[in-house]
Amino acid sequence: MSLLEAAGLSISEAAERTSLTVHTLRYYEREGLMLGPVDRSSSTHRRYSEADITWVVFLSRLRSTAMPIARIREYVALVRRGDDTTQERLALLTAHRQTVLATLDEVRTSLAAIDYKIAAYSKGNPVS
Amino acid sequence: MSLLEAAGLSISEAAERTSLTVHTLRYYEREGLMLGPVDRSSSTHRRYSEADITWVVFLSRLRSTAMPIARIREYVALVRRGDDTTQERLALLTAHRQTVLATLDEVRTSLAAIDYKIAAYSKGNPVS
DNA sequence: CTAAAACCTAGAGTGCGCTCGAAGTCAAAT
DNA sequence: ATTTGACTTCGAGCGCACTCTAGGTTTTAG
């Protein structure tokens, strides 16, 4: 960190803030998942703004709900296009929400079956 | 299906019953995920018993809660070993249960963030 | 000024879970 | 008996999301 405290975070600081690795941050950028180009400090090194961090955190939320990289790219394209693509963005997120709910449901159902077996084992029942 | 109605299902029937493909059924077997060898009808063709189907369905539950193939293989090894490995099996399932609960929690948290953004879009707020 | 640490790009490699293709065998219907 | 379609094995191929390597440049601490 320089004495003149540059505006923005280095990539390793960004990595720490977002719980991603520097590799993954560069990868996401290469894949076109950043809303705009990340600033470069007086040279070639990336400087992440708070807005960048906020976005990456949201991006991570999309990933942790299993939105594919390609779909995130579509969303980003809409944001970049600007001039009222808000309905499309809303539709995209709403559709994603539905698939997440469906997945949650399936996981809960499966978990119930697993719990059932756990209960059987706990009671010493013969199960496999 | 023969006239003498063979005992057990063909692989394609098993696929239908379990919502897997025949490819996946063979793959799982190759990977050592079946509790024992699947019967072969008067020749080389697989015949799935009801017990086989029951197991594959449970196996699918483990998979849909993201248990890795390798861990399922460990579980299967315990079942095969028999002579009271029930405590280990219980431990394995219980540990898995914890990771599923943790994942569910993370997904729910992420979904809340997504819902928040959906709400913002719905209200016509400026968001990305 | 110099050395060490952090950064850069481009491209290759990895791990997982399937998924498919080729080449051949078997079974059910005509 | 023959054709059609389902089955077999073995191994290769694929899609996804990272993850790492190599070789070079930049920054920062001393």
Side-chain angles (χ1 to χ4, degrees):
Chain A
M1 185 88 22
S2 82
L3 282 178
L4 299 174
E5 189 56 44
L9 307 175
S10 70
I11 193 168
S12 62
E13 289 165 335
E16 205 167 336
R17 282 280 299 277
T18 59
S19 308
L20 297 175
T21 67
V22 297
H23 295 295
T24 303
L25 283 171
R26 290 198 200 97
Y27 167 69
Y28 283 171
E29 187 176 345
R30 251 191 296 168
E31 291 298 312
L33 305 191
M34 295 305 289
L35 297 180
V38 176
D39 279 2
R40 300 291 174 131
S41 73
S42 68
S43 66
T44 57
H45 292 194
R46 292 170 179 81
R47 299 269 96 181
Y48 290 83
S49 69
E50 279 306 316
D52 288 332
I53 300 297
T54 301
W55 166 247
V56 172
V57 168
F58 185 67
L59 163 42
S60 293
R61 305 280 197 212
L62 295 178
R63 286 296 303 127
S64 71
T65 53
M67 184 183 284
I69 299 292
R71 188 108 18 106
I72 299 177
R73 195 167 21 235
E74 291 172 29
Y75 181 83
V76 168
L78 289 174
V79 176
R80 285 191 186 146
R81 214 174 86 212
D83 47 58
D84 232 356
T85 55
T86 56
Q87 286 315 300
E88 285 105 312
R89 296 182 220 169
L90 178 56
L92 192 156
L93 290 184
T94 303
H96 178 57
R97 182 185 142 84
Q98 288 311 313
T99 77
V100 174
L101 290 178
T103 304
L104 278 176
D105 236 63
E106 201 199 335
V107 171
R108 277 191 282 253
T109 301
S110 294
L111 186 57
I114 294 166
D115 282 346
Y116 185 84
K117 191 150 289 201
I118 286 176
Y121 273 125
S122 298
K123 288 180 201 136
N125 285 359
V127 281
S128 60
Chain B
M1 184 88 21
S2 81
L3 281 179
L4 299 174
E5 187 59 41
L9 308 175
S10 71
I11 193 166
S12 62
E13 291 165 334
E16 204 167 337
R17 281 281 298 277
T18 61
S19 308
L20 297 175
T21 67
V22 297
H23 296 294
T24 302
L25 282 171
R26 292 199 199 97
Y27 167 68
Y28 283 172
E29 187 176 347
R30 251 191 296 168
E31 291 298 313
L33 305 191
M34 296 305 287
L35 297 179
V38 175
D39 279 1
R40 299 293 174 130
S41 73
S42 67
S43 65
T44 57
H45 293 194
R46 292 171 179 78
R47 297 269 97 176
Y48 290 81
S49 68
E50 279 305 316
D52 288 332
I53 300 297
T54 301
W55 166 246
V56 173
V57 168
F58 184 66
L59 164 42
S60 293
R61 304 281 197 212
L62 295 177
R63 286 294 306 127
S64 73
T65 54
M67 183 184 284
I69 299 290
R71 186 103 23 100
I72 299 176
R73 190 160 32 227
E74 292 171 29
Y75 181 82
V76 168
L78 289 173
V79 176
R80 285 188 185 151
R81 214 173 87 213
D83 48 58
D84 231 358
T85 54
T86 56
Q87 286 315 300
E88 285 105 310
R89 295 183 221 168
L90 178 56
L92 192 155
L93 291 183
T94 304
H96 178 57
R97 182 185 141 84
Q98 287 311 312
T99 76
V100 174
L101 290 178
T103 304
L104 278 176
D105 235 64
E106 202 199 335
V107 171
R108 276 192 283 253
T109 300
S110 293
L111 186 58
I114 294 166
D115 282 346
Y116 184 85
K117 191 150 289 199
I118 286 176
Y121 272 125
S122 298
K123 287 179 203 139
N125 286 357
V127 280
S128 61

